[in-house]
Amino acid sequence: METGTSRVKRGMAEMQKGGVIMDVMNAEQAKIAEAAGATAVMALERVPSDIRAAGGVARMADPTVLEEVMKVVSVPVMAKARIGHIVEARVLEALGADYIDESEVLTPADEVYHIDKREFTVPFVCGAKDIGEALRRINEGASMLRTKGEPGTGNIVEAVRHMRLIKGQIRHIQSLSRDELYAEAKNLGAPFEQLLYIHENGKLPVVNFAAGGVATPSDAALMMELGADGVFVGSGIFKSDNPEKFARAIVEATTHYKDYKLIAEVSKNLGAPMKGIEISKLNAHERMQDRGW
Amino acid sequence: MKIGVLALQGAVAEHIRMIELAGGEGIAVKRTEQLGELDGIILPGGESTTIGKLIRKYGFLEELKQFANEGKAVFGTCAGLIVVADEIIGQDEAHLQLMDMKVSRNAFGRQRESFETDLPVKGISEPVRAVFIRAPLINEVGPEVEVLSTYKDEIVAAKQGNVLATSFHPELTDDFRMHAYFLDMIRATRQ
C-alpha cells in the first residue's frame, strides 16, 4: 500500500475535470458552493479582489477557516500557501487540506525557489503563464496546473492569453523533431523529459484548469472552449450580486460549454457580476501574474 | 460494442481510452438521447455530489434507471459506485439505486490517506493495480450481490446482474482488464 504516489496525486486532479472549484471564505459560503455543484472549494480568508483592495502582505489563512470549511462539506477542500513557503504548506498538509495551491495570489515568501512538492503526500496545484513555467512546476511535483490570469480583476483577458499561449506552445513542441527538443528545452528552461512527454502525447502530463478573472458563465465556457480541463472561480461568485445563482450558472456553463442556448438561459437575470478592473489600470507591482517564474 | 461514459464531470477521457484498449468503442455522453445507441455505460469517478446533482438536472436519473432495467450494463467507479448504490450512509437521498448495497463516502479519510495497491479481483487471474482516491466503501451487500474484491476485509468491488461497481479507479492505470471484464459481462448477458 502506497500513499502520495504521483498517480494518486494526479488522479485526484483528474477527478476534478469538467468541474468548477470555488473560493470560499467561511462555512456558509462553502455550503452554497457545494450545493451549487462545486467539485472542490478553496478555503481562504479573503478572495483575490479583497486581497487586492486590502494591500499589505497576503499570507496563508487562519487554520480555523480551513477547519470550519472541512467540517461542513464532503467535496475536497483546498487551501493556499505562499510561493516557496514550505512551512505554510506543511501546516496545511497537517491540517488535512486535500490540495495545496502554491499561489501567486498571496505575497511570495521566496523569490528564487518554489516548494519541492514531491516531498509532500498531498497534491499541489500551481499557476503558470506559459509552457516553460508549467513544466518547471510539474518537474517540482505539481499535480495540477492552472492559468494565472490576473486574479481578482474579473477580467478574463489574461487567462485567455495564458491558455492560448500554452496550447500554442504544445502544438509547436509537437511539430519539432526529436533532436530539436534539446534546444527547445534550453530555450524554455524546462526539463527535456517533460518536453518529450508533450512531443509524444500532445498534452501536458497533468490537468490544466483556467483561473484568474472568471466572472460569468460565458467566461467559464470560453475557457473550456479554449481547452481548459475545468475552472477555478475566485472573486467571481461571492463578489457578485447573487452568489447562489452565479455559482449554479457557472457550473452548468462549464458542463455544457458548447451548448450556447443553455448558457444564454443560465445567464439571464443573474444580477450584477463582480465589478471588474481593466488590466492596463493596474500598476506593475499590482500584477499578481508576474509573481512566480 | 458501444460503451458510453457519462460526461457530466470527472475522469471521462481515461475511461474512453481504457474501453478502446479493451476492444470497445467509447463515447462521451452528455445528453440522455445518446443512451439509445449504447450497449453499456460507465459512471466515472469525480465528485459524487456534483454528479448526483447534474444527473437530476439533465434528466439522467430516470433514463439511467430505465437503461439498467432494460438489462443494459452499468459500471460505476468511485463516485460512480456511490451513484449506483441503494443506500448512502449518512445521507437521506440515494441516486440511481441499481445495486443492493450500503456504501459510505470518503471511507478511507482525506486525500493524504489516498493510496494505491495490488488487489486480487474474482474472475481476473492476476491482481490489478487499484488506485483509491478519497474512495468510498461498500459496507453491506444484499443476497443478489456478488463480492468481487475486498481490501482489509472491506468490500471494494461487487457485481449484481448487469451492474458492476468498484471503489477504486481502474482507469488511472494502463491495465484494462477491469474494462475487459465489463465488456465480457455485456457479452454474457446477451447470450
Side-chain angles (χ1 to χ4, degrees):
Chain A
M1 196 268 265
E2 297 167 73
T3 56
T5 61
S6 165
R7 187 149 57 193
V8 163
K9 292 198 275 191
R10 289 179 182 184
M12 157 75 183
E14 301 283 354
M15 298 312 137
Q16 299 289 313
K17 281 201 293 194
V20 182
I21 299 170
M22 300 181 193
D23 277 357
V24 299
M25 292 176 282
N26 52 49
E28 187 201 344
Q29 290 184 349
K31 279 194 257 180
I32 291 172
E34 184 177 55
T39 53
V41 293
M42 177 82 72
L44 33 69
E45 238 154 14
R46 292 190 181 120
V47 294
S49 66
D50 286 342
I51 291 175
R52 234 173 235 298
V57 175
R59 308 178 180 91
M60 174 188 87
D62 185 322
T64 55
V65 177
L66 179 61
E67 283 177 344
E68 261 182 45
V69 169
M70 286 195 306
K71 242 181 254 165
V72 299
V73 295
S74 65
V75 294
V77 181
M78 302 184 170
K80 286 185 197 294
R82 280 179 267 179
I83 290 174
H85 206 310
I86 301 160
V87 172
E88 282 189 351
R90 284 292 180 196
V91 168
L92 294 174
E93 183 177 53
L95 288 166
D98 294 300
Y99 230 98
I100 297 171
D101 186 356
E102 187 180 17
S103 178
E104 69 284 357
V105 169
L106 306 181
T107 311
D110 193 320
E111 292 192 326
V112 182
Y113 303 108
H114 282 75
I115 297 170
D116 176 6
K117 295 163 272 286
R118 291 178 194 270
E119 289 296 306
F120 286 72
T121 306
V122 290
F124 276 73
V125 55
C126 288
K129 303 183 291 293
D130 56 46
I131 199 83
E133 201 174 356
L135 297 182
R136 287 190 289 280
R137 297 295 87 78
I138 293 169
N139 204 46
E140 291 157 3
S143 307
M144 179 185 202
L145 292 169
R146 52 172 177 71
T147 55
K148 286 185 167 175
E150 192 50 56
T153 61
N155 189 337
I156 199 68
V157 67
E158 296 301 306
V160 168
R161 188 195 314 279
H162 301 160
M163 188 57 76
R164 285 231 185 241
L165 181 57
I166 288 176
K167 289 282 170 186
Q169 288 175 310
I170 289 174
R171 287 191 295 272
H172 173 66
I173 291 165
Q174 278 186 286
S175 76
L176 297 174
S177 64
R178 205 185 135 115
D179 58 344
E180 288 169 335
L181 288 179
Y182 293 94
E184 187 66 8
K186 181 170 169 276
N187 289 340
L188 292 171
F192 173 77
E193 282 67 31
Q194 306 286 357
L195 249 66
L196 190 60
Y197 179 91
I198 291 176
H199 182 68
E200 286 172 355
N201 297 279
K203 61 182 179 96
L204 289 163
V206 303
V207 300
N208 187 20
F209 272 45
V214 177
T216 68
S218 296
D219 285 348
L222 171 63
M223 295 312 297
M224 294 300 286
E225 183 105 34
L226 293 176
D229 291 310
V231 177
F232 280 86
V233 189
S235 323
I237 288 170
F238 291 102
K239 289 290 160 188
S240 71
D241 266 5
N242 192 335
E244 277 160 339
K245 275 176 92 172
F246 259 88
R248 277 200 306 269
I250 289 176
V251 169
E252 285 200 55
T254 305
T255 309
H256 291 292
Y257 63 93
K258 280 186 185 294
D259 187 338
Y260 309 115
K261 257 191 185 160
L262 180 143
I263 298 171
E265 220 32 63
V266 302
S267 301
K268 284 179 187 168
N269 302 313
L270 284 181
M274 70 173 285
K275 192 171 179 308
I277 302 174
E278 167 58 38
I279 306 291
S280 62
K281 298 274 192 297
L282 291 176
N283 293 320
H285 71 275
E286 293 172 318
R287 283 164 57 91
M288 291 175 174
Q289 62 177 292
D290 296 337
R291 301 162 165 181
W293 41 90
Chain B
M1 218 172 324
K2 278 191 185 176
I3 310 294
V5 181
L6 189 67
L8 297 176
Q9 191 268 313
V12 177
E14 289 75 8
H15 273 298
I16 291 178
R17 180 175 156 260
M18 297 304 261
I19 293 163
E20 314 241 306
L21 285 173
E25 185 189 340
I27 298 161
V29 175
K30 286 205 177 226
R31 296 265 165 221
T32 54
E33 301 88 82
Q34 293 174 275
L35 294 175
E37 55 172 325
L38 303 176
D39 299 298
I41 192 161
I42 295 179
L43 311 177
E47 288 305 322
S48 65
T49 320
T50 311
I51 294 174
K53 269 179 221 316
L54 294 173
I55 277 179
R56 285 175 176 76
K57 180 104 205 169
Y58 298 113
F60 275 106
L61 194 72
E62 290 311 316
E63 294 284 336
L64 280 173
K65 278 184 185 173
Q66 203 190 324
F67 184 85
N69 289 338
E70 285 167 9
K72 289 190 176 170
V74 181
F75 180 13
T77 60
C78 195
L81 171 141
I82 295 165
V83 173
V84 299
D86 270 356
E87 195 180 330
I88 305 164
I89 291 169
Q91 213 169 294
D92 296 336
E93 198 178 28
H95 306 292
L96 296 176
Q97 298 181 291
L98 300 178
M99 206 188 260
D100 184 6
M101 60 181 180
K102 280 188 196 177
V103 300
S104 47
R105 305 176 57 194
N106 299 342
F108 294 92
R110 305 199 70 89
Q111 172 61 17
R112 64 183 172 192
E113 278 85 45
S114 294
F115 64 99
E116 54 179 291
T117 190
D118 290 321
L119 205 64
V121 177
K122 201 170 157 189
I124 297 179
S125 60
E126 298 290 324
V128 300
R129 190 67 177 171
V131 187
F132 291 84
I133 295 175
R134 290 169 41 89
L137 262 186
I138 304 171
N139 297 78
E140 274 179 60
V141 292
E144 303 293 310
V145 177
E146 184 187 3
V147 173
L148 298 180
S149 186
T150 57
Y151 175 74
K152 293 187 174 168
D153 298 327
E154 309 264 24
I155 307 168
V156 293
K159 185 187 151 198
Q160 180 180 358
N162 54 335
V163 186
L164 176 68
T166 63
S167 298
F168 52 88
H169 293 278
E171 79 281 11
L172 293 181
T173 67
D174 290 318
D175 182 350
F176 55 86
R177 288 176 298 160
M178 274 312 306
H179 290 76
Y181 182 98
F182 183 56
L183 293 182
D184 285 343
M185 237 172 82
I186 298 174
R187 285 186 199 103
T189 51
R190 279 178 172 175
Q191 280 159 11

